[in-house]
């Protein structure tokens, strides 16, 4: 992927890692450990972040948490308005989420519509005991009453700006970039 | 990604990329059909009309389930119980259905090309669910999906399609698809059931079943259309069965791990021996299961074309 000239790096690899470490500790603090906790990453960026958080939780607590991938395409509220459907990928949650504290993980929290779709998708798979939300970047401009439980970085943005999250797993060095 | 077309009329005019897009999309829907709540809200508010001018249980039910699992509303029209018996033409029937704001018309019709006529004249997406001896694209797509699930790749796969090739839209759609995807396709059947110059589609013709089966990876049996036997394509069903029935002995001629497919409904003991239909090689019921996921994918992908 190409980064435009006027872009500004707002988080580098080290800052991303520190933010995730802090979020992992907050998850453990809030849930009194990681028992009954499951991580579900929203495709595509959230999937990588969920795996990283799971690794950190295991390092801190010594026990593994289940991790799943969620594709929200079928639950989007803009399928009729878009010119073309987004690529449909697989939801892969190989465990029963009923009664678990499910932490949804996404890279950027913006309008909140993705999270609304993700919660609908999740509830079709079972009845979680609780749904929490962890995001790497909260850029504001919510269109729905949705709030993250854990935030890596609060990033004030203008509505027309774009926030791009690049992650190693996708073949690009870790960084968060703000584009005009 | 979407299919950049309004209608699905046949496999002949689909590209390899489009076929693969349907198969990949169907994989996501197979996950949905395996859930406890087998429903997603994707086509909420859309209407699918099943317009069937020929009897069908499997295909109609499969389309109905696919639409319902996408949260669309479904209406079933069977020609035998509609105004068609009062003399209404196909186009008038379809225009009336469209006037009720249908988004999809799933058409099965005894005449080849009927879905093409509707597709040209209506705003709704038209899906061909079998037109005469022409095509049955969603059957071929679900066969491909099942093949890919079991055999991974199409290139170099050796298949034998056996039976009444001339009258089979399932055979025609599968031949178009499999040849495009690089499989080696053999067709076998009596000369009266073999279309002239079928070789031009890229297949090899066999009249002796045993020769056709030698070393194949997949056997696709076609239903002997007993309702057509008045046309005397064959002296008797018993003779057909002796020469073309897939028996456990004949299965031994095929390659190891051979798959047996059949679009259904099966005539046990006519074209396929019960022991074969119920054997571990048979994926006939997998085909039915996959049919729902594949039809969900087709409805979803066509709904994205603007």
């Amino acid at each position: 992927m190409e980064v435009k000239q006027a872009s500004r790096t707002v988080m580098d690899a080290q800052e991303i890692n520190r933010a995730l470490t802090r979020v992992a500790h907050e998850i453990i603090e809030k849930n009194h450990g990681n028992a009954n906790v499951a991580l579900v990453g929203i495709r595509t960026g959230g999937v990588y972040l969920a795996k990283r958080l799971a690794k950190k939780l295991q390092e801190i607590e010594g026990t593994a948490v289940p991790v799943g991938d969620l594709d929200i395409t079928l639950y989007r509220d803009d399928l009729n308005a878009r010119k073309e459907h987004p690529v449909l990928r697989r939801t892969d949650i190989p465990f029963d989420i009923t009664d678990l504290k499910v932490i949804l993980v996404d890279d950027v929290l913006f309008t909140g519509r993705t999270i609304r779709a993700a919660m609908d998708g999740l509830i079709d798979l079972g009845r979680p005991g609780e749904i929490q939300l962890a995001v790497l970047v909260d850029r504001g401009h919510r269109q729905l009453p949705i709030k993250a439980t854990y935030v890596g970085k609060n990033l004030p943005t203008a509505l027309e700006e774009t926030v791009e999250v690049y992650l190693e797993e996708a073949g690009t060095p870790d960084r968060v970039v703000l584009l005009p | 990604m979407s299919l950049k077309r309004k209608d699905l009329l046949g496999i002949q005019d689909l590209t390899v990329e489009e076929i693969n897009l349907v198969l990949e999309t169907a994989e996501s829907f197979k996950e949905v059909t395996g859930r406890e709540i087998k429903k997603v809200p994707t086509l909420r508010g859309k209407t699918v009309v099943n317009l069937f001018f020929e009897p069908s249980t499997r295909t109609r039910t499969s389309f109905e389930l696919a639409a319902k699992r996408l949260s669309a509303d479904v209406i079933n029209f069977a020609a035998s119980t509609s105004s068609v018996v009062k003399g209404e033409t196909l186009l008038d029937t379809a225009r009336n259905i469209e006037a009720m704001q249908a988004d999809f018309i799933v058409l099965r019709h005894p005449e080849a090309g009927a879905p093409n006529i509707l597709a040209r004249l209506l705003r709704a997406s038209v899906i061909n669910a079998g037109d005469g001896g022409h095509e049955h694209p969603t059957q071929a797509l679900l066969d491909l999906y099942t093949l890919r699930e079991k055999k991974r790749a199409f290139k170099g796969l050796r298949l034998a399609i056996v039976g009444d090739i001339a009258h089979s839209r399932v055979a025609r759609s599968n031949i178009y698809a499999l040849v495009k995807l690089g499989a080696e396709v053999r067709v076998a059947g009596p000369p009266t059931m073999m279309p002239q110059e079928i070789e031009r589609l890229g297949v090899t013709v066999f009249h002796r079943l045993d020769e056709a089966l030698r070393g194949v990876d997949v056997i696709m049996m076609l239903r002997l259309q007993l309702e057509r036997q008045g046309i005397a394509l064959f002296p008797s069903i018993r003779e057909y069965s002796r020469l073309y029935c897939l028996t456990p002995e004949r299965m031994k001629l095929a390659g190891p791990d051979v798959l047996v497919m059949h679009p259904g409904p099966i005539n046990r003991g006519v074209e396929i021996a019960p022991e074969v239909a119920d054997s571990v090689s048979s994926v006939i019921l997998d085909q039915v299961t996959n049919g729902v996921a594949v039809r969900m994918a087709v409805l979803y992908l066509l709904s994205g074309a603007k």
Side-chain angles (χ1 to χ4, degrees), chain A residues 59-73:
Chain A
E59 279 164 14
I60 301 164
E61 287 291 293
T63 50
V65 294
V67 190
D69 310 341
L70 183 67
D71 186 281
I72 57 127
T73 308

Side-chain angles (χ1 to χ4, degrees), chain A residues 5-176:
Chain A
Q5 284 303 312
S7 63
R8 181 163 66 91
T9 298
V10 288
M11 284 178 104
D12 61 20
Q14 201 173 39
E15 285 165 321
I16 291 174
N17 187 45
R18 283 191 192 126
L20 290 176
T21 305
R22 176 173 48 76
V23 167
H25 280 284
E26 286 175 8
I27 289 172
I28 285 162
E29 189 185 6
K30 183 176 168 67
N31 296 290
H32 312 292
N34 65 6
N36 291 324
V37 167
L39 296 173
V40 171
I42 299 172
R43 285 193 186 274
T44 311
V47 170
Y48 304 135
L49 294 172
K51 295 212 168 93
R52 291 193 198 183
L53 279 174
K55 195 159 163 259
K56 287 184 187 293
L57 291 181
Q58 180 163 13
E59 279 164 14
I60 301 164
E61 287 291 293
T63 50
V65 294
V67 190
D69 310 341
L70 183 67
D71 186 281
I72 57 127
T73 308
L74 298 172
Y75 294 87
R76 295 182 71 108
D77 59 9
D78 59 354
L79 281 176
N80 280 327
R82 293 170 65 107
K83 254 188 82 189
E84 203 183 339
H85 285 351
V87 178
L88 183 59
R89 295 200 169 81
R90 245 177 100 91
T91 288
D92 186 12
I93 300 181
F95 50 88
D96 183 7
I97 59 166
T98 303
D99 295 333
L100 292 181
K101 294 175 187 169
V102 176
I103 302 174
L104 282 173
V105 184
D106 204 0
D107 45 10
V108 179
L109 178 57
F110 184 23
T111 60
R113 288 179 192 268
T114 300
I115 306 304
R116 194 282 307 161
M119 288 194 288
D120 280 352
L122 208 52
I123 286 164
D124 275 0
L125 298 173
R127 186 178 185 275
E130 214 177 290
I131 298 179
Q132 302 172 7
L133 173 62
V135 297
L136 182 61
V137 176
D138 181 350
R139 61 163 296 187
H141 304 289
R142 218 75 77 238
Q143 293 168 353
L144 297 172
I146 279 167
K147 187 172 180 291
T149 325
Y150 315 98
V151 179
K153 184 182 178 71
N154 279 299
L155 181 67
T157 58
L159 188 56
E160 62 280 3
E161 285 174 316
T162 309
V163 177
E164 299 268 23
V165 174
Y166 299 97
L167 296 172
E168 258 173 31
E169 292 90 331
T172 44
D174 280 5
R175 67 190 184 289
V176 179

Side-chain angles (χ1 to χ4, degrees), chain B residues 151 158 213 215-218 251-259 281:
Chain B
K151 295 284 186 193
R158 278 166 303 181
L213 295 182
V216 294
D217 305 302
V218 182
M251 285 283 284
K252 291 176 193 149
L253 299 167
D257 307 319
V258 65
L259 292 185
S281 306

Side-chain angles (χ1 to χ4, degrees), chain B residues 15-65:
Chain B
T15 62
V16 170
E17 290 70 34
E18 286 176 302
I19 293 172
N20 283 328
L21 175 64
V22 174
L23 301 183
E24 274 151 34
T25 306
E27 244 173 73
S28 302
F29 285 111
K30 184 139 187 204
E31 182 268 322
V32 173
T33 61
R35 294 180 188 172
E36 200 163 302
I37 301 174
K38 301 170 187 56
K39 206 176 177 88
V40 288
T42 317
L43 293 187
R44 220 162 25 152
K46 305 269 185 205
T47 306
V48 177
V49 175
N50 282 327
L51 185 54
F52 276 62
F53 289 82
E54 273 183 358
S56 161
T57 318
R58 214 171 327 269
T59 305
R60 192 191 52 70
T61 314
S62 182
F63 267 110
E64 186 171 348
L65 268 180

Side-chain angles (χ1 to χ4, degrees), chain B:
Chain B
M1 293 285 283
S2 310
L3 285 171
K4 288 184 183 54
R5 50 176 77 238
K6 176 171 83 71
D7 315 286
L8 177 66
L9 303 174
I11 299 289
Q12 192 178 12
D13 56 343
L14 288 188
T15 62
V16 170
E17 290 70 34
E18 286 176 302
I19 293 172
N20 283 328
L21 175 64
V22 174
L23 301 183
E24 274 151 34
T25 306
E27 244 173 73
S28 302
F29 285 111
K30 184 139 187 204
E31 182 268 322
V32 173
T33 61
R35 294 180 188 172
E36 200 163 302
I37 301 174
K38 301 170 187 56
K39 206 176 177 88
V40 288
T42 317
L43 293 187
R44 220 162 25 152
K46 305 269 185 205
T47 306
V48 177
V49 175
N50 282 327
L51 185 54
F52 276 62
F53 289 82
E54 273 183 358
S56 161
T57 318
R58 214 171 327 269
T59 305
R60 192 191 52 70
T61 314
S62 182
F63 267 110
E64 186 171 348
L65 268 180
K68 285 182 169 168
R69 286 178 180 170
L70 287 165
S71 301
D73 296 308
V74 187
I75 297 166
N76 290 311
F77 270 81
S80 53
T81 58
S82 73
S83 302
V84 175
V85 293
K86 299 176 189 164
E88 192 174 51
T89 66
L90 167 66
L91 189 56
D92 283 330
T93 304
R95 279 206 170 119
N96 275 280
I97 290 168
E98 191 174 59
M100 298 172 200
Q101 320 296 334
D103 300 286
F104 294 92
I105 293 180
V106 178
L107 178 68
R108 166 162 296 185
H109 200 276
E111 297 299 334
N116 301 60
I117 296 172
L118 287 197
R120 216 166 36 238
L121 297 166
L122 300 181
R123 268 173 289 113
S125 284
V126 177
I127 300 174
N128 180 3
D131 59 333
H134 181 218
E135 283 230 40
H136 191 353
T138 57
Q139 177 70 42
L141 289 166
L142 74 89
D143 289 342
L144 294 176
Y145 184 90
T146 309
L147 276 175
R148 204 173 74 143
E149 206 174 46
K150 310 280 176 192
K151 295 284 186 193
R152 298 281 143 223
F154 297 107
K155 258 214 168 63
L157 205 63
R158 278 166 303 181
L159 296 102
I161 306 180
V162 183
D164 186 353
I165 308 292
H167 296 101
S168 174
R169 53 198 175 209
V170 175
R172 202 172 307 270
S173 289
N174 266 308
I175 289 169
Y176 287 136
L178 290 162
V179 169
K180 270 183 223 261
L181 292 164
E184 180 197 320
V185 184
R186 307 171 182 183
V187 292
T192 48
M193 295 179 173
M194 197 58 72
Q196 301 256 313
E197 300 190 33
I198 180 97
E199 297 88 345
R200 291 169 68 166
L201 297 182
V203 302
T204 322
V205 176
F206 290 81
H207 293 302
R208 299 178 71 94
L209 181 55
D210 290 2
E211 286 167 20
L213 295 182
R214 207 145 279 150
V216 294
D217 305 302
V218 182
I219 307 169
M220 247 179 214
M221 297 305 296
L222 300 173
R223 184 173 70 93
L224 181 68
Q225 304 187 26
L226 296 171
E227 65 272 19
R228 287 191 205 274
Q229 283 317 295
I231 323 170
L233 295 169
F234 220 77
S236 72
I237 289 171
R238 224 168 77 193
E239 186 175 331
Y240 180 84
S241 180
R242 205 177 67 238
L243 293 171
Y244 292 103
C245 181
L246 187 60
T247 57
E249 296 73 51
R250 289 196 166 117
M251 285 283 284
K252 291 176 193 149
L253 299 167
D257 307 319
V258 65
L259 292 185
V260 176
M261 308 179 84
H262 193 300
I266 60 176
N267 297 311
R268 285 174 181 267
V270 178
E271 71 266 0
I272 188 164
E275 307 90 287
V276 174
D278 302 328
S279 70
V280 287
S281 306
S282 162
V283 292
I284 297 173
L285 292 175
D286 299 79
Q287 290 172 270
V288 179
T289 306
N290 292 336
V292 177
V294 166
R295 291 180 174 115
M296 286 172 84
V298 168
L299 287 167
Y300 170 75
L301 290 170
L302 290 178
S303 77
K306 288 268 154 68

